[in-house]
C-alpha cells in the first residue's frame, strides 16, 4: 500500500497511530433516483412521514441514553431531534414528491439541497457549518427509507481501539458506539467550529476535520498517523515516520499533562505582571471546558447559536434562562455577552431574504440589531435580567462610530425601563463595552473610550477589514497577516487610548491564542485575552515563563519593521529562543509562510 499525506484542520491536539475504521456512511450521491406513478404518490409521502417519525423516536431515545462522557452534548442532539421534527422540511419533501412524482429519498435529498443553498451564503463559518446537522439528520432519514441501519452498527465492528473516520460525525452518531474504542477522529467535512472538534476535545482525543480526499485514499484497516498538532494525516507511514511520531506523542502527552496541572494558576509573568486569561464560548455546553482548562472568566459569549439552532426565535424567557444559568455557573467569574453578531442572511427564515452583494459589509451585527429593535431589546432584557445572578457584562459587535454606541445604549435604556415597569431586577451598573473590529473605530478609539466601560479587540474581523481580505476566502488567505504592522499599530493604539481613558482593553480574536502573538500583546499592556478554552493551558505556560521586560523589548523590535516577513522573523527567533517546546506542539498562524498558496 502506498504512503499518502493528507492535510486537514487540527481541531483537537494530540498524536495517534492506529488502524482506520470507517463509519459506513452513505452520502447523497448514492440515493436512488426514481420516478413513481401517480397512484403511489401518497404512499411515498406516507413513507416520508414514517421515516421522519422513526428517526425522531430514535434520536429522542438516544438523547435519553446519552453516555456520561457525552452528557455535555445533549443540546446538540436536541437540535438533531428538532430537525427531525421540522415540519417545513417534511412538508417541502412531501410537496416535491407530489410535484415531481419522485421517490421519498430523492425528494428529501432535493429539499435538503434547497436548505443548503440558503446556508451557503452565510458568511459566519460557525453558523454556515450548522447545515451539516441538517445533512446528518437527513442522511439518517434516508437510511431509514432505504431500510439501512443508522450509524449505531459500528459498535459491532470495533474490537480494538481505532482511528474513526467518517464523512461527517455528530455526537448522535456515536451513540451506541463504545467511545473507549476510539483513539482519534478524522472527517472529510467540517471546519474549525464543527461539532466533531467539540466532541473530540471533550473526549480528549486528537482530531482532524476537513480532510479532503479522506474517503478516496483511506481504507478500513489502513495504518494511519493523525497529527492533531499540525493537521496532517499520514496513510501507510514509513518506519522513520512511525518512530518520529511515537516519540512526538510521548513528548506531547508529557507536555500536556504538565500544562494541565498548572492551568489553574494565574496568568502572571515572572516579574509579576498579571493578565486575565478568559475563554471564548459558542455553546452553553462548552462551559465544562471553561472550568477544566483554567479560564478565569468568559470574555466572549457568542450568543448567535441559540438563534440558529431552532425554527422560531427564542423568547425573552428562554434567553433569560440560558444567560442566568451561565452567570450562575460562573459565579464571581465574569461573563461578557456579545449581542447578536448575525447578518440578515442568517435569519432569512424569520425576516425574509435580503439581497446583499457583500454581506461582510452589509446589514450585520449591531446594524442588524438596530434594524430589528424588538429582537434586540428582547436580548438586552435577558442579559440585564441575568446581570443580577453573577458578574455580567455586555458588548456590542461591529461598532463603527459614536452614533451607533448612542443608539445601542438608547435601546439598552428602553430595555431597562421595560424591566422597571414589569418590576424585574437588573444591575444598573452592568459594564457595557464594544468590540473594536473596524479601522474607523480604531482611529477614534480615544473619543469612544469615554463612552464605554471596556474595549474588546476582535482581531479576526479587524485583520479582515484593515487588510481588505475576506477572512473566509482561501485565495487571499496568504494575506491574512496577524503581525502586519498596521494590525500591530491598531491594537497598540486602542490599548493606549483605552488606558488613557482608564478603561480595560481585551483582545478576543484568534491572534490572542497564538504563541507567537501573545508576548506582543503582553508587551502592549493588554488587560485580558479571551481565547478558545483548549488553548488556555499552553498560553498560560508562555505567560508564566516570560517577563514583561522581554515582551516590551520584543514589541519594540517588532515596531521597527514594516515588512511582515521581517516581523515574523523577529518574533519567531525570540519565541524559539524562549519557548522551543511550545513551537513543537502548536500550529501557529505564522507557520503558513506569507506566500500565495
Ligand atoms: C473577531 O472578529 O475577532 C471576533 C472575536 O468575533 P467573531 O470571530 O465572532 O467575528
Ligand atoms: Mg468579529
Amino acid at each position: 500500500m502506498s504512503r499518502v499525506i493528507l492535510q486537514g484542520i487540527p481541531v483537537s491536539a494530540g498524536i495517534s497511530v492506529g488502524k482506520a475504521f470507517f463509519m459506513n456512511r452513505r452520502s447523497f450521491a448514492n440515493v436512488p433516483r426514481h420516478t413513481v406513478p401517480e397512484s403511489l404518490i401518497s404512499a411515498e409521502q406516507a413513507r416520508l412521514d414514517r421515516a421522519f417519525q422513526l428517526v425522531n423516536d430514535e434520536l429522542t431515545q438516544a438523547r435519553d441514553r446519552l453516555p456520561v462522557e457525552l452528557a455535555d452534548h445533549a443540546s446538540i442532539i436536541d437540535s438533531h431531534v428538532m430537525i427531525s421534527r421540522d415540519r417545513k422540511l417534511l412538508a417541502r419533501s412531501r410537496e416535491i414528491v407530489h410535484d415531481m412524482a419522485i421517490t421519498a429519498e430523492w425528494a428529501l435529498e432535493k429539499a435538503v439541497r434547497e436548505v443548503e443553498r440558503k446556508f451557503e451564503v452565510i458568511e459566519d463559518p460557525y453558523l454556515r457549518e450548522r447545515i451539516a446537522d441538517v445533512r446528518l439528520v437527513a442522511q439518517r432519514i434516508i437510511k431509514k427509507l432505504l431500510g439501512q441501519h443508522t450509524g449505531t452498527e459500528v459498535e459491532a465492528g470495533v474490537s480494538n481501539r481505532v482511528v474513526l473516520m467518517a464523512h461527517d460525525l455528530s455526537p448522535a452518531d456515536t451513540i451506541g458506539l463504545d467511545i473507549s474504542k476510539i483513539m482519534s477522529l478524522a472527517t472529510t467535512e467540517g471546519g474549525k467550529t464543527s461539532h466533531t472538534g467539540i466532541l473530540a476535545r471533550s473526549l480528549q482525543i486528537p482530531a482532524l476535520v476537513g480532510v479532503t480526499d479522506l474517503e478516496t485514499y483511506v481504507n478500513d484497516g489502513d495504518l494511519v498517523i493523525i497529527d492533531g498538532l499540525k493537521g496532517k494525516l499520514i496513510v501507510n507511514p514509513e518506519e522513520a515516520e512511525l518512530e518520529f511520531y511515537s516519540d512526538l506523542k510521548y513528548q506531547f502527552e508529557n507536555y500536556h499533562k504538565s500544562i494541565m496541572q498548572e492551568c489553574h494558576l494565574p496568568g502572571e509573568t515572572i516579574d509579576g505582571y498579571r493578565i486575565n486569561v478568559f475563554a471564548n464560548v459558542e455553546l452553553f455546553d462548552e462551559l465544562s471546558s471553561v472550568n477544566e482548562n483554567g479560564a478565569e472568566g468568559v470574555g466572549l459569549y457568542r450568543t448567535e447559536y441559540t438563534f440558529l439552532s431552532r425554527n422560531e426565535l427564542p423568547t425573552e424567557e428562554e434567553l433569560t434562562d440560558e444567560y442566568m444559568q451561565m452567570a450562575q455557573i460562573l459565579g464571581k467569574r465574569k461573563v461578557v455577552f456579545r449581542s447578536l453578531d448575525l447578518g440578515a442572511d442568517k435569519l432569512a427564515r424569520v425576516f425574509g431574504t435580503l439581497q446583499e452583494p457583500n454581506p461582510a459589509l452589509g446589514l450585520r451585527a449591531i446594524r442588524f440589531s438596530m434594524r430589528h429593535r424588538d429582537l434586540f431589546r428582547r436580548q438586552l432584557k435577558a442579559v440585564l435580567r441575568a446581570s443580577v445572578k453573577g458578574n455580567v457584562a455586555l458588548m456590542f459587535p461591529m461598532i463603527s462610530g459614536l452614533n451607533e454606541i448612542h443608539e445601542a445604549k438608547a435601546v439598552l435604556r428602553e430595555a431597562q425601563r421595560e424591566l422597571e415597569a414589569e418590576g424585574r431586577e437588573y444591575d444598573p451598573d452592568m459594564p457595557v463595552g464594544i468590540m473594536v473590529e473596524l479601522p474607523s473605530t480604531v482611529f477614534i478609539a480615544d473619543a469612544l473610550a469615554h463612552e464605554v466601560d471596556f474595549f474588546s479587540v476582535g482581531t479576526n474581523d479587524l485583520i479582515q477589514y484593515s487588510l481588505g481580505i475576506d477572512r473566509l476566502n482561501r485565495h487571499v488567505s496568504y494575506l491574512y497577516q496577524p503581525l502586519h504592522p498596521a494590525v500591530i499599530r491598531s491594537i497598540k493604539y486602542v490599548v493606549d487610548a483605552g488606558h488613557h481613558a482608564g478603561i480595560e482593553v481585551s483582545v478576543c480574536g484568534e491572534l490572542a491564542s497564538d504563541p507567537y502573538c501573545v508576548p506582543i500583546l503582553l508587551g502592549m499592556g493588554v488587560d485580558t485575552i479571551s481565547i478558545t478554552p483548549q488553548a488556555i493551558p499552553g498560553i498560560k505556560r508562555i505567560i508564566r515563563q516570560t517577563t514583561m521586560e522581554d515582551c516590551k523589548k520584543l514589541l519594540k523590535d517588532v515596531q521597527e519593521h514594516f515588512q511582515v516577513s521581517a516581523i515574523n522573523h523577529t518574533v519567531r527567533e525570540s519565541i524559539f529562543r524562549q519557548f522551543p517546546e511550545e513551537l513543537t506542539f502548536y500550529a501557529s498562524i505564522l507557520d503558513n509562510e506569507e506566500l500565495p498558496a
Side-chain angles (χ1 to χ4, degrees):
M1 262 303 198
S2 57
R3 166 180 169 273
V4 182
I5 301 185
L6 304 175
Q7 188 65 39
I9 304 166
V11 287
S12 183
I15 304 284
S16 93
V17 182
K19 293 269 166 82
F21 184 95
F22 254 99
M23 270 186 82
N24 186 18
R25 180 169 292 289
R26 270 166 192 268
S27 68
F28 287 155
N30 299 319
V31 171
R33 298 183 166 95
H34 304 297
T35 51
V36 291
E38 216 178 307
S39 58
L40 287 183
I41 283 179
S42 53
E44 280 305 298
Q45 289 176 325
R47 283 181 66 226
L48 270 173
D49 296 343
R50 191 170 150 66
F52 266 79
Q53 187 58 50
L54 284 174
V55 167
N56 182 255
D57 293 348
E58 200 174 271
L59 287 171
T60 311
Q61 280 168 23
R63 159 78 172 71
D64 299 337
R65 286 189 277 114
L66 204 63
V68 276
E69 292 88 337
L70 295 177
D72 282 352
H73 300 281
S75 67
I76 297 169
I77 300 176
D78 274 342
S79 74
H80 285 201
V81 172
M82 255 174 321
I83 296 167
S84 67
R85 220 179 264 162
D86 183 354
R87 292 284 121 199
K88 281 194 208 124
L89 187 63
L90 175 59
R92 181 64 193 134
S93 309
R94 291 176 113 260
E95 198 173 58
I96 295 174
V97 167
H98 177 266
D99 295 349
M100 297 180 66
I102 59 175
T103 50
E105 297 86 338
W106 193 7
L108 173 57
E109 181 203 341
K110 280 182 176 297
V112 172
R113 293 258 190 257
E114 288 178 5
V115 182
E116 271 173 349
R117 276 194 286 280
K118 286 190 188 135
F119 271 70
E120 268 161 21
V121 291
I122 296 180
E123 102 237 30
D124 182 320
Y126 176 77
L127 304 174
R128 202 178 45 230
E129 282 164 19
R130 302 286 69 82
I131 182 61
D133 296 324
V134 179
R135 231 184 267 131
L136 284 168
V137 175
Q139 277 167 348
R140 257 176 197 269
I141 299 170
I142 287 175
K143 283 188 173 189
K144 273 278 170 265
L145 287 163
L146 296 170
Q148 294 175 357
H149 297 296
T150 41
T152 53
E153 70 272 24
V154 182
E155 185 182 27
V158 180
S159 51
N160 296 314
R161 289 189 82 203
V162 293
V163 178
L164 192 67
M165 310 260 164
H167 184 74
D168 202 351
L169 198 65
S170 77
D173 291 309
T174 57
I175 290 159
L177 182 70
D178 181 351
I179 46 185
S180 66
K181 301 265 170 67
I182 307 172
M183 61 167 86
S184 54
L185 294 173
T187 60
T188 312
E189 292 284 321
K192 263 204 152 122
T193 55
S194 58
H195 294 320
T196 310
I198 298 170
L199 173 76
R201 289 191 297 265
S202 73
L203 295 177
Q204 295 183 18
I205 55 174
L208 304 180
V209 297
V211 188
T212 350
D213 296 332
L214 180 73
E215 285 150 282
T216 315
Y217 290 106
V218 190
N219 294 310
D220 268 342
D222 280 349
L223 185 64
V224 291
I225 294 172
I226 299 282
D227 176 353
L229 305 175
K230 307 274 181 189
K232 274 194 214 137
L233 188 156
I234 308 177
V235 193
N236 300 312
E238 288 163 357
E239 203 52 46
E241 282 168 325
L242 283 170
E243 253 174 56
F244 173 82
Y245 277 101
S246 66
D247 203 35
L248 187 61
K249 179 172 154 59
Y250 177 75
Q251 286 176 37
F252 177 74
E253 282 169 2
N254 282 338
Y255 165 78
H256 191 249
K257 232 181 264 158
S258 85
I259 57 170
M260 287 309 281
Q261 272 162 7
E262 298 167 8
C263 77
H264 294 284
L265 296 172
E268 189 173 305
T269 60
I270 295 170
D271 47 355
Y273 176 83
R274 177 89 191 257
I275 184 167
N276 301 314
V277 186
F278 284 11
N280 291 348
V281 170
E282 274 150 20
L283 302 172
F284 185 86
D285 295 340
E286 283 178 288
L287 269 187
S288 56
S289 57
V290 167
N291 292 330
E292 283 157 20
N293 290 287
E296 295 154 9
V298 172
L300 165 63
Y301 182 41
R302 292 182 165 106
T303 57
E304 292 77 53
Y305 184 70
T306 315
F307 287 78
L308 290 142
S309 57
R310 55 180 79 203
N311 281 324
E312 291 82 33
L313 293 174
T315 62
E316 182 188 317
E317 289 312 311
E318 284 166 333
L319 291 173
T320 306
D321 254 19
E322 177 189 330
Y323 300 169
M324 275 187 174
Q325 274 192 55
M326 191 102 181
Q328 263 163 340
I329 292 172
L330 287 162
K332 288 203 179 80
R333 286 176 295 167
K334 185 182 265 178
V335 47
V336 183
F337 290 95
R338 176 177 71 185
S339 70
L340 266 188
D341 192 1
L342 284 176
D345 48 342
K346 294 165 194 163
L347 283 177
R349 69 179 191 283
V350 184
F351 297 106
T353 320
L354 194 72
Q355 285 305 330
E356 286 192 297
N358 204 339
L361 303 177
L363 189 67
R364 49 167 295 204
I366 192 67
R367 307 163 183 186
F368 178 83
S369 291
M370 288 309 301
R371 178 70 64 89
H372 300 286
R373 248 176 127 106
D374 287 351
L375 181 67
F376 189 28
R377 200 168 44 243
R378 182 188 307 178
Q379 188 182 31
L380 298 186
K381 281 176 82 180
V383 175
L384 282 165
R385 287 172 68 183
S387 67
V388 291
K389 298 286 179 193
N391 185 355
V392 170
L394 167 72
M395 70 178 168
F396 303 121
M398 215 186 168
I399 290 287
S400 66
L402 200 54
N403 281 355
E404 261 168 347
I405 299 181
H406 289 160
E407 283 160 14
K409 281 188 160 181
V411 183
L412 185 66
R413 274 193 299 278
E414 284 169 23
Q416 290 171 332
R417 277 197 295 272
E418 275 186 25
L419 289 177
E420 281 157 24
E422 291 161 12
R424 294 190 198 280
E425 282 191 301
Y426 68 88
D427 174 7
D429 299 321
M430 177 182 74
V432 178
I434 56 166
M435 301 259 321
V436 180
E437 41 191 355
L438 295 176
S440 59
T441 320
V442 170
F443 289 125
I444 55 167
D446 49 342
L448 302 185
H450 300 290
E451 304 285 327
V452 291
D453 299 312
F454 63 93
F455 285 149
S456 189
V457 185
T459 51
N460 303 340
D461 277 322
L462 183 61
I463 297 171
Q464 146 163 284
Y465 294 120
S466 302
L467 305 185
I469 37 135
D470 177 350
R471 71 195 240 196
L472 303 175
N473 182 338
R474 67 187 167 85
H475 301 294
V476 289
S477 62
Y478 70 99
L479 282 173
Y480 198 84
Q481 295 158 331
L483 294 184
H484 189 293
V487 175
I488 296 171
R489 280 189 176 187
S490 298
I491 305 174
K492 173 88 172 55
Y493 186 76
V494 175
V495 174
D496 291 346
H499 287 175
H500 191 70
I503 65 167
E504 285 202 3
V505 182
S506 140
V507 175
C508 65
E510 287 295 308
L511 185 150
S513 60
D514 195 306
Y516 285 100
C517 305
V518 170
I520 295 177
L521 298 179
L522 275 167
M524 291 179 186
V526 164
D527 302 289
T528 302
I529 52 172
S530 191
I531 59 182
T532 338
Q534 287 71 23
I536 290 175
I539 291 298
K540 272 199 181 170
R541 159 77 61 96
I542 289 182
I543 297 168
R544 295 180 59 79
Q545 288 191 353
T546 191
T547 62
M548 193 51 165
E549 204 184 321
D550 277 342
C551 295
K552 283 199 167 136
K553 168 147 192 338
L554 176 63
L555 174 64
K556 192 164 164 287
D557 290 348
V558 158
Q559 282 179 309
E560 276 165 17
H561 297 287
F562 289 94
Q563 238 181 347
V564 179
S565 53
I567 295 178
N568 288 357
H569 180 75
T570 307
V571 174
R572 208 175 271 131
E573 281 224 313
S574 153
I575 305 292
F576 189 73
R577 217 175 341 100
Q578 288 192 72
F579 310 106
E581 215 179 18
E582 273 65 25
L583 295 196
T584 317
F585 301 132
Y586 278 95
S588 163
I589 331 180
L590 304 193
D591 287 341
N592 315 322
E593 276 297 286
E594 54 277 3
L595 292 169

